[in-house]
Amino acid sequence: MKIKTKLAISFCIIIFVPVVLTSIVLVGFNNIQLKAINKTYGMEDAGMLALTDTVQFLNKVTGRTYDELEKTSLIEPSKLLDSDYLTKINKKLEKKYSYLIVKSEGELIFNGGIDNDDILRKLPRISNKQSSSDVSSYMDSDDKVLIKQLNFRDSDGDEASLYIVTSTACVIPEVRTVLIEGAFALVLILLTTAAMLIVWIYRSIITPIERLRIAAENIKDGNLDFELETSPSDGEIGELCTAFEQMRARLKKNAEEKVTNESENRVLISNIAHDLKTPITAVKGYAEGILDGVANTPEKVDKYVRTIYNKANDMDKLINELTLYSKIDTNRIPYNFAKINVTDYFNDCVEEIGLDLEAKNIRLSYENHVDSNVLIIADPEQLRRVINNIVGNSVKYMNKTQSYIDIRINDVGDFIQVEIEDNGRGIDQRDMPYIFDRFYRADASRNSATGGSGIGLSIVKKIIEDHGGKIWATSKEGDGTTMFFVIRKYQETQDMNRQ
């Protein structure tokens, strides 16, 4: 998930989740507490009024008591001056945050409140009316109170007033509970929402970043043998982790290639040192023989000189091979591709190879099963190098008295297939998967008869693959080896389309 999307979701969660959850919780609490208010005060729909208009609610709360006192003032007004009766009524009113005050002819008859001198001084005057129905007034004193006044005449005809004083500063317990529970629920919801967001953000952002930090520390310490876990659901950070993992894999591959190349270079240097030492020793020995007069006849001198010449040629071939290897290693082999007639080209190659093999007493057999007009696109010089390297390997590992090399050219559809078979000593099956690897030598002894740099077949494979072909081998130890390679035929489809 993109970071932009995560931020948008977080914003919505911060704004809407607390509002929705708080609303649900408050509605639930209100329903419970409002029912309790209605039951406690015996008023229908009084609960909502208690939450919205406390003054109006408290006015209605004392309504029944006021009605009772009003009836008493009409039927038995003297009872409103009875202290026992007034005390009883006052106790009922205390539960409703109210109390009674009674005055007659301006004198205080009953005071159900405490420390209310300021209220007593500010009480409304006694009305001339005998009775007044629900006369209410609001007094803004130190104690905000709601006063309901009832005027009446006692049995002696004296004017009197009864006051129901209700404190508006109080909050009824149920309302207080709703407010407390609502505040607690809001705090809890905010904490829960914040915790959920922190956990989500931590897991989706901080955790991948921590993995990246640990991975960077490993790379800094040179440790590339680990794997950085990636997840497409992590958005940009996931993409960053993926790129970082690809970088680590590339660095590891480069490091391994560097180690391999260094190892191969050490092997190459060792092989070169060994393979150059043999002909150089021979050249030195024969040269010393000439200088010391060992070659005391023209025939011996001629033999020694020819040997020195041949050994110099061997060293020249080795140097050329190494030069080509360096070009292969940097992908700079010089190719000069051209259209080649298969029959003519391989006839020339076989004729040239035949002279060398005849001198070494090796029989050469050649079969061409390809039409005389078949063409291929190839570099003549590099393809000849392939054939010479394969034949040279066959000659190098010959161990039979009657040796032979068979060369066959077959037509295999869009390709020509070249087969070069010998009856040499063959290759161990354990070595077969590695014969085209650079510097690999099936001959561990590396004696002078079978020595070499170990890059011949790797060069052959590289050249064939650069021609768009493929090379492989089959062998049976003691019976010989057959090398196969294929090269695609030249198709004149473009010329035909132009016509």
Side-chain angles (χ1 to χ4, degrees):
M1 186 183 297
K2 301 291 185 182
I3 293 179
K4 182 179 179 181
T5 305
K6 289 180 179 179
L7 292 176
I9 293 175
S10 299
F11 176 80
C12 293
I13 290 175
I14 292 172
I15 296 299
F16 296 109
V17 170
V19 173
V20 173
L21 293 180
T22 302
S23 300
I24 294 173
V25 171
L26 288 179
V27 168
F29 287 164
N30 286 344
N31 289 336
I32 296 173
Q33 299 301 333
L34 293 180
K35 289 180 181 179
I37 291 173
N38 293 338
K39 182 178 180 180
T40 301
Y41 299 101
M43 300 171 59
E44 295 182 0
D45 301 327
M48 186 58 66
L49 189 63
L51 298 176
T52 57
D53 190 347
T54 306
V55 173
Q56 185 64 23
F57 170 75
L58 294 173
N59 188 31
K60 286 191 174 183
V61 162
T62 57
R64 290 187 178 181
T65 304
Y66 183 87
D67 293 340
E68 179 184 344
L69 293 173
E70 187 178 26
K71 289 181 181 179
T72 303
S73 68
L74 297 175
I75 299 173
E76 193 177 356
S78 60
K79 199 172 183 180
L80 296 181
L81 300 176
D82 183 2
S83 60
D84 293 337
Y85 175 76
L86 294 176
T87 300
K88 180 179 178 182
I89 296 298
N90 192 72
K91 287 183 178 180
K92 291 182 180 179
L93 290 174
E94 286 177 353
K95 297 179 181 179
K96 301 176 182 181
Y97 310 100
S98 304
Y99 61 88
L100 281 176
I101 296 176
V102 179
K103 280 187 176 184
S104 178
E105 294 293 337
E107 294 182 2
L108 183 63
I109 304 300
F110 182 84
N111 181 13
I114 300 174
D115 296 332
N116 57 347
D117 294 339
D118 186 52
I119 294 175
L120 292 175
R121 288 194 300 269
K122 295 181 180 181
L123 286 175
R125 298 176 116 193
I126 299 175
S127 175
N128 292 327
K129 296 181 180 179
Q130 182 181 356
S131 177
S132 130
S133 177
D134 196 11
V135 178
S136 301
S137 61
Y138 177 77
M139 182 181 294
D140 187 10
S141 61
D142 292 338
D143 294 327
K144 295 181 173 63
V145 293
L146 177 69
I147 298 175
K148 301 181 73 171
Q149 181 179 0
L150 175 63
N151 298 319
F152 65 95
R153 289 183 180 272
D154 60 15
S155 57
D156 296 331
D158 295 331
E159 291 181 351
S161 288
L162 182 146
Y163 304 92
I164 299 177
V165 181
T166 304
S167 175
T168 60
C170 67
V171 179
I172 59 176
E174 292 79 6
V175 175
R176 185 185 300 110
T177 302
V178 170
L179 295 177
I180 294 174
E181 291 177 347
F184 177 78
L186 179 60
V187 172
L188 183 61
I189 290 170
L190 289 175
L191 290 176
T192 303
T193 304
M196 292 172 59
L197 284 176
I198 290 172
V199 171
W200 183 50
I201 295 297
Y202 185 87
R203 294 187 61 184
S204 62
I205 296 179
I206 305 301
T207 300
I209 290 177
E210 179 64 15
R211 292 203 302 266
L212 277 175
R213 187 193 65 78
I214 295 173
E217 289 287 339
N218 284 327
I219 292 178
K220 184 188 73 172
D221 296 336
N223 177 26
L224 297 172
D225 295 325
F226 66 93
E227 184 174 353
L228 180 62
E229 296 181 4
T230 60
S231 175
S233 62
D234 289 337
E236 293 94 336
I237 296 181
E239 294 173 359
L240 177 60
C241 290
T242 301
F244 198 93
E245 170 61 17
Q246 292 172 351
M247 179 189 72
R248 181 205 63 82
R250 178 66 61 86
L251 289 174
K252 182 179 180 181
K253 182 179 179 181
N254 291 341
E256 291 174 347
E257 288 179 352
K258 182 179 179 181
V259 172
T260 301
N261 290 336
E262 290 177 352
S263 175
E264 290 177 348
N265 288 335
R266 286 194 295 270
V267 173
L268 177 61
I269 292 172
S270 176
N271 290 349
I272 293 171
H274 177 272
D275 295 333
L276 286 177
K277 184 177 181 180
T278 301
I280 287 174
T281 301
V283 169
K284 182 180 178 182
Y286 283 106
E288 288 176 351
I290 295 174
L291 293 174
D292 294 341
V294 176
N296 51 12
T297 64
E299 292 79 10
K300 283 188 176 182
V301 171
D302 182 67
K303 179 181 178 182
Y304 279 30
V305 170
R306 286 185 179 279
T307 302
I308 292 172
Y309 176 77
N310 290 334
K311 296 301 181 181
N313 282 338
D314 290 341
M315 288 188 289
D316 184 60
K317 289 180 182 178
L318 178 59
I319 292 172
N320 289 337
E321 195 173 63
L322 294 174
T323 302
L324 182 63
Y325 162 72
S326 67
K327 293 178 179 178
I328 286 177
D329 209 34
T330 56
N331 291 317
R332 294 189 308 174
I333 296 180
Y335 288 112
N336 296 305
F337 290 99
K339 288 190 289 186
I340 299 175
N341 182 279
V342 174
T343 300
D344 294 341
Y345 180 79
F346 280 96
N347 285 344
D348 292 341
C349 287
V350 169
E351 184 178 351
E352 180 182 333
I353 293 169
L355 296 175
D356 293 335
L357 295 182
E358 184 179 353
K360 297 175 182 178
N361 199 25
I362 299 175
R363 178 178 61 83
L364 175 64
S365 173
Y366 171 63
E367 298 177 16
N368 185 358
H369 303 289
V370 177
D371 292 341
S372 59
N373 60 346
V374 173
L375 303 176
I376 59 173
I377 295 292
D379 183 323
E381 181 181 351
Q382 300 300 342
L383 188 57
R384 192 180 299 272
R385 187 187 303 275
V386 169
I387 297 169
N388 289 338
N389 277 6
I390 294 175
V391 172
N393 268 0
S394 297
V395 173
K396 188 185 300 183
Y397 293 99
M398 282 294 183
N399 64 346
K400 303 293 193 305
T401 304
Q402 294 182 345
S403 304
Y404 69 84
I405 294 177
D406 290 344
I407 299 177
R408 296 181 292 274
I409 315 297
N410 296 319
D411 192 322
V412 287
D414 293 335
F415 297 85
I416 65 161
Q417 179 171 296
V418 181
E419 303 175 10
I420 303 177
E421 180 182 0
D422 65 58
N423 67 335
R425 69 184 189 185
I427 304 172
D428 193 314
Q429 293 302 310
R430 292 173 298 180
D431 297 320
M432 285 298 294
Y434 313 107
I435 61 174
F436 295 105
D437 292 350
R438 289 185 295 179
F439 310 120
Y440 185 79
R441 284 173 147 189
D443 178 24
S445 64
R446 300 192 307 181
N447 55 53
S448 60
T450 59
S453 62
I455 61 176
L457 288 181
S458 67
I459 293 175
V460 166
K461 181 182 179 183
K462 174 66 175 175
I463 293 173
I464 292 298
E465 289 179 347
D466 287 349
H467 279 70
K470 181 181 178 183
I471 187 169
W472 68 97
T474 60
S475 184
K476 185 175 181 181
E477 193 171 10
D479 290 343
T481 302
T482 303
M483 290 283 179
F484 303 85
F485 66 86
V486 293
I487 295 179
R488 186 179 294 275
K489 295 178 183 176
Y490 172 70
Q491 304 290 342
E492 297 186 356
T493 55
Q494 295 180 349
D495 295 338
M496 294 175 61
N497 290 337
R498 292 174 182 173
Q499 294 176 357

